[in-house]
Amino acid sequence: MENTMSSHLTVVGSAALDTIETPYGRAEDSLGGSALFMGAAGSLFAPVHIVAVVGDDFPTHQVEFLRARGVDLDGLEFVSGKTFRWHGRYHNNMNYRDTVSVDLGVFEGFNPRVPAAAAKAEILMLANIDPELQNSVLKQMVKPKLVVFDTMNHWITDQRQTIVQLLKKVDMALLNDEELQLLIGGKSTVDNATKLLEMGPHYAVIKKGEHGAILFTRHEPPFLCPAFPLCEPKDPTGAGDSFAGGMLGYLAATNDIGSYNLRRAVVYGAVVASFTVEEFGMKRLENLTQEHIEERFRQFRAMVEF
Ligand code: AMP
């Protein structure tokens, strides 16, 4: 799908080594982090630049598949110390997970510097990092056409004012239902999303795990996107991030943020996320192709037609 007219996508977030436990097994030091998941997914569609930090223990060979796909890793900073590590445990209901431990390592001192090529990207994905750092990244960009914001409960609780200010400067908020409720505290998802759009962004994509996602815009009715039904999802880690990567990669490749194309982008996000959860960590994204994606996109369309 990539063509010479593609916009570029810059993603700023975490690069991690994850330990993951699900009812289907366990993986250790599995490649993870929001920036890497988004890069792996987004690069299936369009040119991607990654801005993140890793330590000197980082297994560089594991990101070779990204380099081979043309991902620009100049913004992946190597710092002396340990790579960010996250340990998550899922139970039988894989919509919920416990964070067993977090070891920030070099991520604690992350001060994102956006290289020149990444700064020129038309689409910027501010994944879940300190909102002050998200602000600093935004200032380093040349002239992005679409700025997308993600966060997590911790930042909503601790840095609400920074987030409120940031929301005035972003075009799209990409949150899960729980984060949205914590941020807005309204009566329903629709009530919350309506209030969120009044705070700044033109678009909000609210993720609901295995129940799909809803796209809200200011002037159109919401778009409901189910999750692609799978019999044996093995590991939901990175589903949200690869949803974001797929959606924004598609928008970058097509250079169109009209309301119909936004809907298609959300479906591509859901399709890519459905592949991610089929294997542990990033394994499925490593060998995924455009053909696989298009085939599932067709199946998806047939499932929602009535
Ligand atoms: P998702 O399942 O889409 O929410 O993304 C999971 C990824 O987020 C994992 O690969 C983790 O390494 C990463 N992650 C977990 N906690 C944090 C955190 N506090 N800050 C940044 N990234 C995190």
Side-chain angles (χ1 to χ4, degrees), residues 14 16 18 32-34 37 84 86 90 97 107 128 152 236-241:
S14 57
D18 293 337
S34 53
F37 269 112
F84 172 59
W86 173 78
Y90 298 83
R97 70 181 175 208
F107 192 46
N128 157 39
M152 69 187 289
T237 308
D241 296 327

Side-chain angles (χ1 to χ4, degrees), residues 58 86 106-107 117 126 163 222 252 301:
F58 187 72
W86 173 78
V106 296
F107 192 46
L126 297 167
I163 289 179
R301 172 172 276 155

Side-chain angles (χ1 to χ4, degrees), residues 14 22 29 50 57 62 73 80 98 101 143 157 252 295 303:
S14 57
T22 86
D29 281 354
I50 287 180
D57 58 349
Q62 286 200 32
L73 294 168
S80 173
D98 299 325
S101 64
K143 206 178 172 194
T157 310
E295 172 59 25
M303 284 181 193

Side-chain angles (χ1 to χ4, degrees), residues 13-20 30-38 84-87 90 97 99 101-102 104 107 127-130 150 152 154-155 176 179 207 235-243 276 281-282:
S14 57
L17 295 173
D18 293 337
T19 296
I20 304 160
S30 167
L31 198 62
S34 53
L36 296 185
F37 269 112
M38 288 174 187
F84 172 59
R85 279 182 164 75
W86 173 78
H87 180 170
Y90 298 83
R97 70 181 175 208
T99 292
S101 64
V102 173
L104 291 174
F107 192 46
N128 157 39
I129 54 173
D130 183 332
D150 187 7
M152 69 187 289
H154 164 70
W155 300 121
N176 67 37
E179 291 154 355
K207 297 172 287 175
D235 169 22
T237 308
D241 296 327
S242 51
F243 175 97
T276 303
M282 230 168 277

